[in-house]
Amino acid sequence: MDEVFRALADPSRRRLLDRLNQRNGQTLRELCDGLETTRQSISKHLSVLEAADLVVTARRGREKLHYLNAAPITAIADRWLSRYDRQRAAALADLSTALENQPMESPTFVYTTYIATTPERLWAALIEPAFTRRYWGGVALVSDWQIGSPVLWQDAPGAEPRDLGQRVLVAEPYRRLSYSWHAFQPEHAEHFGWSAEDLAARLDERRSKVTFEIEPHGPTAVRLTVVHDDFAPDSEMHRAISGQLDGSGGWPVLLASLKTLIETGEPMPAPV
């Protein structure tokens, strides 16, 4: 946490985070555009932000893309905000954003966490139904994990798995997994209090995709980076997976439960 506050203390580094917040996934050259500073200086600032885990990088072909990472700031909020205060603060922040900013062209969610495990065990946690059921809130993901295969949702043991239109895009064991994301379902409408008309309007939203990148981190841990992108502009699904629709936590809470399950044998307790 000290590294996070030191990284945020510099206005130049905050400016870089603001630029990534406006458009996530930029190269070093793109981040340098329009700034009256040297490329070397920007690289040094990015190194400080990466050391504090406020920025994470991912390779796309020959390019190195930089992403804003919400995990350290979430940890700060967890330390000083109760669940009630978090929902109130989120509501005020959403109001401020709606009044001050235009919708992003295509939002991207990026989250990095470190887990005391092996790449093989983390891979199993991402693909094995018995494992996924324990941290996905009772839902098991069922697939043969071949490119183009469906990723089915099984709501309860013995239930018929449902095809929500998700398909495997990338499957490189112990390194990278990616699949297309589902549209909103009737149970989401019930959870969020939407009418049938509200749900029908949201079903037209463009499908997104989620990617899990696994990297060894020392001899006893791995770094897991989750990139959820390809959203429609002003995406309601982006707000849902980020935990902004109802304060339930979205990916950050689910990934925290995955980490807790692997490291302790038990997932995080479900919120009341």
Side-chain angles (χ1 to χ4, degrees):
M1 196 166 290
D2 289 341
E3 288 187 355
V4 174
F5 281 114
R6 279 195 293 267
L8 292 173
D10 187 285
S12 296
R13 291 195 282 270
R14 293 198 300 271
R15 191 177 303 117
L16 288 173
L17 294 176
D18 286 338
R19 297 190 74 164
L20 289 175
N21 188 43
Q22 292 168 2
R23 183 170 67 83
N24 226 354
Q26 297 189 54
T27 63
L28 175 59
R29 177 182 55 79
E30 291 171 322
L31 286 170
C32 291
D33 285 347
L35 295 181
E36 296 179 358
T37 186
T38 65
R39 184 185 181 97
Q40 183 180 17
S41 178
I42 295 295
S43 295
K44 289 182 178 179
H45 284 310
L46 288 172
S47 296
V48 173
L49 292 170
E50 286 186 57
D53 280 338
L54 289 164
V55 166
V56 297
T57 60
R59 287 282 179 183
R60 291 294 181 270
R62 299 176 63 182
E63 293 185 324
K64 181 181 180 181
L65 303 183
H66 299 79
Y67 294 91
L68 178 65
N69 181 33
I73 298 174
T74 300
I76 291 173
D78 287 340
R79 180 168 179 169
W80 285 300
L81 289 180
S82 68
R83 186 177 181 188
Y84 171 76
D85 289 330
R86 180 193 297 276
Q87 292 174 341
R88 182 171 56 185
L92 292 172
D94 288 345
L95 175 60
S96 176
T97 299
L99 293 174
E100 295 175 2
N101 298 327
Q102 296 297 318
M104 292 182 290
E105 291 182 5
S106 182
T108 298
F109 175 87
V110 180
Y111 196 94
T112 294
T113 186
Y114 296 85
I115 305 176
T117 188
T118 63
E120 293 79 8
R121 190 154 185 258
L122 178 55
W123 181 263
L126 294 174
I127 69 169
E128 291 183 4
F131 220 135
T132 58
R133 189 184 305 282
R134 298 194 66 192
Y135 65 90
W136 273 88
V139 172
L141 302 184
V142 181
S143 178
D144 62 11
W145 302 106
Q146 300 300 308
I147 305 300
S149 293
V151 181
L152 307 177
W153 283 49
Q154 187 183 44
D155 297 320
E160 186 69 22
R162 295 187 294 155
D163 188 349
L164 304 186
Q166 298 187 189
R167 295 294 180 269
V168 179
L169 303 174
V170 178
E172 301 173 9
Y174 322 131
R175 292 181 54 218
R176 197 161 182 257
L177 178 68
S178 180
Y179 48 84
S180 57
W181 197 245
H182 59 78
F184 285 113
Q185 303 298 312
E187 57 264 33
H188 297 122
E190 181 179 355
H191 176 78
F192 295 123
W194 296 338
S195 66
E197 292 76 14
D198 292 333
L199 175 60
R202 288 169 172 86
L203 289 178
D204 291 333
E205 188 173 305
R206 185 174 78 213
R207 290 292 187 97
S208 58
K209 76 176 190 298
V210 63
T211 301
F212 304 86
E213 298 186 353
I214 302 171
E215 303 171 75
H217 185 73
T220 60
V222 296
R223 177 171 117 156
L224 172 64
T225 300
V226 177
V227 180
H228 199 146
D229 56 6
D230 283 358
F231 292 101
D234 198 27
S235 168
E236 197 79 348
M237 183 62 78
H238 177 261
R239 285 189 281 272
I241 63 96
S242 303
Q244 298 174 25
L245 283 185
D246 62 351
S248 62
W251 273 122
V253 168
L254 190 146
L255 294 171
S257 188
L258 165 64
K259 173 181 169 68
T260 303
L261 174 61
I262 291 177
E263 294 181 343
T264 71
E266 294 294 332
M268 289 199 317
V272 177

